[in-house]
Amino acid sequence: MTKTGGICINQLKLNYTHDMEKAMYSAHGVCFADYSRKLDVRMKVERRREREYLQSQHILTNIEKKLHY
């Protein structure tokens, strides 16, 4: 755990494969080491994932509406 400006930040201890590393870099432009070590990077990635998830749910809802009419 590191402490910066009175805030404690836990470093994630993640097990990951080479393919996971490539996918993370390809999708988000960061490596797992930075993702696990830097809170700002982690938050940026997670916000983007959340936004993409919500967009996919919106698309799915629209498709389901069209199928039921």
Side-chain angles (χ1 to χ4, degrees):
M1 183 180 323
T2 60
K3 192 167 186 170
T4 56
I7 299 173
C8 293
I9 301 171
N10 289 324
Q11 181 174 346
L12 299 177
K13 295 181 184 352
L14 301 172
N15 294 325
Y16 54 91
T17 66
H18 179 67
D19 289 336
M20 291 167 65
E21 177 77 24
K22 287 186 343 186
M24 175 66 94
Y25 197 80
S26 174
H28 303 289
V30 297
C31 63
F32 260 95
D34 287 344
Y35 176 83
S36 67
R37 189 175 47 244
K38 299 178 181 177
L39 179 62
D40 60 325
V41 171
R42 199 176 326 153
M43 293 306 297
K44 181 179 176 183
V45 168
E46 293 306 321
R47 281 189 205 104
R48 181 177 178 179
R49 284 181 175 167
E50 177 72 14
R51 187 172 53 249
E52 290 173 352
Y53 171 76
L54 292 173
Q55 288 172 347
S56 72
Q57 292 303 301
H58 182 70
I59 291 168
L60 182 60
T61 300
N62 288 338
I63 290 171
E64 287 176 344
K65 285 179 184 177
K66 289 179 182 180
L67 290 175
H68 289 93
Y69 284 113

